[in-house]
């Protein structure tokens, strides 16, 4: 069972007594001169309050109930009322942390030292709730005491962040000297444990009357601001602590005080009266009589708080007692200093996390994209948005067969695959693209997000297509010189899509979504059938066709239209073109490209004899012509009756 604390108007008018256990069946007779009973009825023990003339000889009966509660019943012989939650009550149930008042004496139900305070669901301390509400509403007041009188066990002050910011340090020189050294201490921490140790050390040295300092964290799920004033269970963890003694025991910390501060997002100070023979219930600690908690307001430190507790320091030795008001004035500097330390730590930790995120993002975004994302005035770029993209799918050729034949050297194989994927990503990023995804031995990139790559829609679209084509040329160039046995197939497609942060609650990634993405993937697969390195759709090819205004140095891309195809999973035919990759001994001339175009026109119109003759004029090493010739020969050079001029490539 908990204890009952009686506190009168003077410091020496006070006692703390342990309540009888529930199993004993005994009650407590409370009054100025009560008499215990052991006969018929309820056995009682007598607790006297001799200093209060407003308390009757027999004033109340206290009975233990489950859950550390007590039932208080006003004795019919008493003359003055019992006030509970601000109203006169004849019968009520008290829970730990609550109090009632008779005359000039306050009676508080307090758990014994060492017992953690976890309010039960549905219970509430209205006096404490009111103090938080009033303090929160007093935005212009540096600190706001609660509605308890000076004789109550705990007095609470809540500090608005803006009010603390406008407050001047009383000893500014020493505070500023400590703060000036803090950034170097924090930034010099090589790991989080060292950071926490340095912060607690600074707070301990800066707070003369502190006996213990701790950095705690609470479950963010239990810090919903809508729950302010409602007692609730809080999952709290002491991340690091320091004391002025050599004790290795974790200091007792009030979970309720931490919850108040973190939920309300403002610093909270508790001050109480402590006596040698008793310990306050509210913060559950021996030999301390104040504590404050400062929340760290940053997503990087969600649920974190600085907790400092200590003893009263009498700045006037001849004064017999330091009042709560004087105590708060003395501690305000310490609260402000802890606020500054907390803000600095939270800001630097947030900055560190952003740097880590940017380092990770550099693997997926080009520098120009990162610059756009870092712009404070920019909109929320990562939110999914409609845009026009050029999408690339790049896949390793021969990976499945090679992995099967080299199963005895998988580590070397993995190294080569990683190197090949590195070539793909490097060229995508170097040309201003974004790495959208990896699919086993394939990579997907896209251009045109988060910002268009040129001024005006037409120029932006051309710039995106041109950048994608240059990336493909770079990948293919490095592919040829690579020592591995892998070769790449590349598909390019352009058109409307949605790009940004896409995914589920459990898995989110920055990528692109839409039919154009699927088309690029299908075209990459068709490179095997046509025996070419790079295939693109008609939209991309049109954007790469040299306009009259193009500079001569940009008119270097050579394309060949291969024909209309129907790819697996798509009903609408697509005109596909080849990006010609020149080599030393296999380069098509302009005339040969025109010969293929003429042969294709004949093929599409069903004049397969003419197409066959034209295709025979192309070099033997030209693989796309073989696709048409094979189809012609399979049908004995006669087009089927239902021929529509489209080559079908069903899913194999």
């Amino acid at each position: 069972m908990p204890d009952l604390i009686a506190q009168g108007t003077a410091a020496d008018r006070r006692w703390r007594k342990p309540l009888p256990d529930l199993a004993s069946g005994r009650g407590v007779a409370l009054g100025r001169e009560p008499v215990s009973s052991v006969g018929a009825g309820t056995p009682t023990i007598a607790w006297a309050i001799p200093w209060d003339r407003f308390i009757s000889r027999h004033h109340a009966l206290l009975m233990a109930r489950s859950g550390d509660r007590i039932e208080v019943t006003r004795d019919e012989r008493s003359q003055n009322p019992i006030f509970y939650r601000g109203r006169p009550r004849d019968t009520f149930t008290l829970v730990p942390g609550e109090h009632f008042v008779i005359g000039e004496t306050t009676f508080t139900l307090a758990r014994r030292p060492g017992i953690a305070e976890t309010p039960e669901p549905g219970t509430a301390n209205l006096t404490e709730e009111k103090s938080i509400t009033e303090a929160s509403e007093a935005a212009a007041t540096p600190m706001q005491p609660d509605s308890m009188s000076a004789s109550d066990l705990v007095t609470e002050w809540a500090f608005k962040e803006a009010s603390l910011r406008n407050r001047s340090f009383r000893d500014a020189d020493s505070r500023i000297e400590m703060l000036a050294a803090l950034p170097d201490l924090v930034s010099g921490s090589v790991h989080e444990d060292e950071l926490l140790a340095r912060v607690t050390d600074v707070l301990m040295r800066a707070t003369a009357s502190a006996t213990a300092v701790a950095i705690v964290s609470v479950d963010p799920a239990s810090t919903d601001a809508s729950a302010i004033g409602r007692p609730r269970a809080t999952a709290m963890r002491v991340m690091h602590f320091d004391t002025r003694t050599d004790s290795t025991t974790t200091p007792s910390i009030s979970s309720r005080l931490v919850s108040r501060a973190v939920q309300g997002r403002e610093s909270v100070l508790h001050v109480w009266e402590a006596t040698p023979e008793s310990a306050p219930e509210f913060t559950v600690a021996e030999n301390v009589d104040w504590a404050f908690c400062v929340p760290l307001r940053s997503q990087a430190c969600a649920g974190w708080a600085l907790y400092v507790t200590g003893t009263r320091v009498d700045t006037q030795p001849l004064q017999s007692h330091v009042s709560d008001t004087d105590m708060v004035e003395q501690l305000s500097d310490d609260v402000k200093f802890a606020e500054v330390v907390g803000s600095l730590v939270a800001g630097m930790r947030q900055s560190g996390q952003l740097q880590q995120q940017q380092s990770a993002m550099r693997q997926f975004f080009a520098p120009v994209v990162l610059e756009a994302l870092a712009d404070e005035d920019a909109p929320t770029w990562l939110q999914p948005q409609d845009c026009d993209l050029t999408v690339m799918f790049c896949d390793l050729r021969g990976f499945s067969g090679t992995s099967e034949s080299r199963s005895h050297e998988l580590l070397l194989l993995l190294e080569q695959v990683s190197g090949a994927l590195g070539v793909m990503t490097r060229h995508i990023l170097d040309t201003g693209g974004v790495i959208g995804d990896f699919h086993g031995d394939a990579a997907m990139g896209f251009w045109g997000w988060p910002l268009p790559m040129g001024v005006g829609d037409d120029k932006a679209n051309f710039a995106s297509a041109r950048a994608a084509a240059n990336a493909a040329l770079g990948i293919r160039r490095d592919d040829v010189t690579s020592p591995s046995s892998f070769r790449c197939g590349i598909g390019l497609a352009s058109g409307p899509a949605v790009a940004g942060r896409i995914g589920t609650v459990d898995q989110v990634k920055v990528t692109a979504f839409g039919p154009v993405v699927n088309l690029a993937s299908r075209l990459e697969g068709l490179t095997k059938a046509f025996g070419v390195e790079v295939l693109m759709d008609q939209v991309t090819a049109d954007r790469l066709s040299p306009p009259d205004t193009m500079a001569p140095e940009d008119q270097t891309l050579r394309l060949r239209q291969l024909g209309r195809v129907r790819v697996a999973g798509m009903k609408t035919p697509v005109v596909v073109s080849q990006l010609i990759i020149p080599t030393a001994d296999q380069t098509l001339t302009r005339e040969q490209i025109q010969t293929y175009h003429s042969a294709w026109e004949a093929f599409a119109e069903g004049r397969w004899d003419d197409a066959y003759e034209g295709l025979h004029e192309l070099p033997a090493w030209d693989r796309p012509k073989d696709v048409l010739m094979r189809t012609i020969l399979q049908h004995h050079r006669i087009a089927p009756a239902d021929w529509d001029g489209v080559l079908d490539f069903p899913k194999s």
Side-chain angles (χ1 to χ4, degrees), residues 111-239:
R111 284 193 172 92
R112 292 168 192 167
I115 301 177
E117 32 157 41
T118 303
E120 296 186 15
T123 65
N125 185 327
L126 296 187
T127 305
E128 293 165 5
E129 292 175 16
K130 184 177 181 182
S131 69
I132 277 287
T133 303
E134 291 178 352
S136 299
E137 292 174 351
T141 306
M143 54 272 200
Q144 175 72 23
D146 64 11
S147 59
M148 299 180 186
S149 67
S151 63
D152 287 317
L153 180 64
V154 174
T155 306
E156 178 177 286
W157 277 264
F159 296 81
K160 282 290 184 182
E161 182 183 8
S163 300
L164 282 174
R165 190 183 306 118
N166 295 330
R167 177 188 176 89
S168 299
F169 284 121
R170 291 189 299 176
D171 184 8
D173 292 341
S174 63
R175 299 286 185 176
I176 292 175
E177 183 179 353
M178 291 185 185
L179 289 174
L182 188 59
D184 291 336
L185 289 175
V186 174
S187 61
S189 303
V190 296
H191 50 74
E192 188 166 282
D193 289 342
E194 184 178 353
L195 168 65
L196 300 180
R198 291 186 176 190
V199 171
T200 54
D201 177 68
V202 167
L203 288 175
M204 182 67 76
R205 288 188 288 108
T207 312
S209 56
T211 57
V213 175
I215 301 178
V216 300
S217 66
V218 296
D219 182 3
S222 67
T223 59
D224 182 3
S226 64
I228 296 176
R230 295 203 307 269
R232 60 189 297 172
T234 301
M236 184 177 66
R237 179 171 66 96
V238 178
M239 303 169 64

Side-chain angles (χ1 to χ4, degrees), residues 363 394-396 399 413-429 435 437-444 475 482 484 486 488:
Q363 304 176 45
C394 185
D395 185 49
L396 296 181
F399 174 73
L413 181 64
L414 176 61
E415 182 180 348
Q416 293 179 348
V417 171
S418 299
L421 291 174
V423 170
M424 300 178 193
T425 57
R426 176 164 54 82
H427 284 287
I428 291 173
L429 296 179
I435 304 299
D437 208 349
F438 290 100
H439 299 268
D441 56 341
M444 186 269 277
I475 292 171
S482 172
S484 71
F486 301 122
C488 293

Side-chain angles (χ1 to χ4, degrees), residues 163-370:
S163 300
L164 282 174
R165 190 183 306 118
N166 295 330
R167 177 188 176 89
S168 299
F169 284 121
R170 291 189 299 176
D171 184 8
D173 292 341
S174 63
R175 299 286 185 176
I176 292 175
E177 183 179 353
M178 291 185 185
L179 289 174
L182 188 59
D184 291 336
L185 289 175
V186 174
S187 61
S189 303
V190 296
H191 50 74
E192 188 166 282
D193 289 342
E194 184 178 353
L195 168 65
L196 300 180
R198 291 186 176 190
V199 171
T200 54
D201 177 68
V202 167
L203 288 175
M204 182 67 76
R205 288 188 288 108
T207 312
S209 56
T211 57
V213 175
I215 301 178
V216 300
S217 66
V218 296
D219 182 3
S222 67
T223 59
D224 182 3
S226 64
I228 296 176
R230 295 203 307 269
R232 60 189 297 172
T234 301
M236 184 177 66
R237 179 171 66 96
V238 178
M239 303 169 64
H240 189 82
F241 72 92
D242 193 6
T243 66
R244 293 208 185 273
T245 67
D246 295 331
S247 173
T248 58
T249 303
T250 304
S252 297
I253 295 174
S254 170
S255 60
R256 187 178 301 177
L257 174 54
V258 174
S259 295
R260 293 285 201 207
V262 175
Q263 291 176 18
R265 296 180 62 81
E266 58 187 7
S267 298
V268 179
L269 168 66
H270 285 167
V271 178
W272 61 89
E273 295 284 348
T275 61
E277 69 274 5
S278 65
E281 170 271 347
F282 202 81
T283 43
V284 197
E286 298 275 4
N287 302 320
V288 294
D289 44 22
W290 62 262
F292 64 78
C293 186
V294 174
L296 272 60
R297 307 174 188 89
S298 167
Q299 287 298 321
C301 305
W304 287 26
L306 306 178
Y307 190 94
V308 184
T309 189
T311 58
R312 296 173 185 248
V313 175
D314 192 352
T315 57
Q316 302 180 31
L318 298 180
Q319 185 173 310
S320 61
H321 175 69
V322 180
S323 68
D324 287 351
T325 303
D326 292 338
M327 188 78 256
V328 171
E329 182 64 24
Q330 292 175 20
L331 291 171
S332 294
D333 267 16
D334 298 323
V335 176
K336 176 180 173 66
F337 184 82
E339 278 266 4
V340 176
V341 171
S343 298
L344 180 61
V345 171
M348 296 187 70
R349 200 166 188 272
Q350 182 81 31
S351 176
Q353 286 192 359
L354 289 175
Q355 289 179 1
Q356 292 177 2
Q357 293 173 3
Q358 288 187 351
S359 296
M361 291 169 70
R362 287 190 184 96
Q363 304 176 45
F364 302 97
F365 298 137
V368 64
V369 178
L370 286 175

Side-chain angles (χ1 to χ4, degrees), residues 436-483:
D437 208 349
F438 290 100
H439 299 268
D441 56 341
M444 186 269 277
F446 54 92
W447 291 258
W449 178 92
L451 294 173
M453 300 190 69
V455 180
D457 291 342
D458 292 339
K459 291 185 177 180
N461 294 340
F462 166 77
S464 297
R466 177 77 187 197
N470 285 335
L473 289 173
I475 292 171
R476 180 54 186 157
R477 181 176 59 251
D478 287 357
D479 187 22
V480 172
T481 60
S482 172

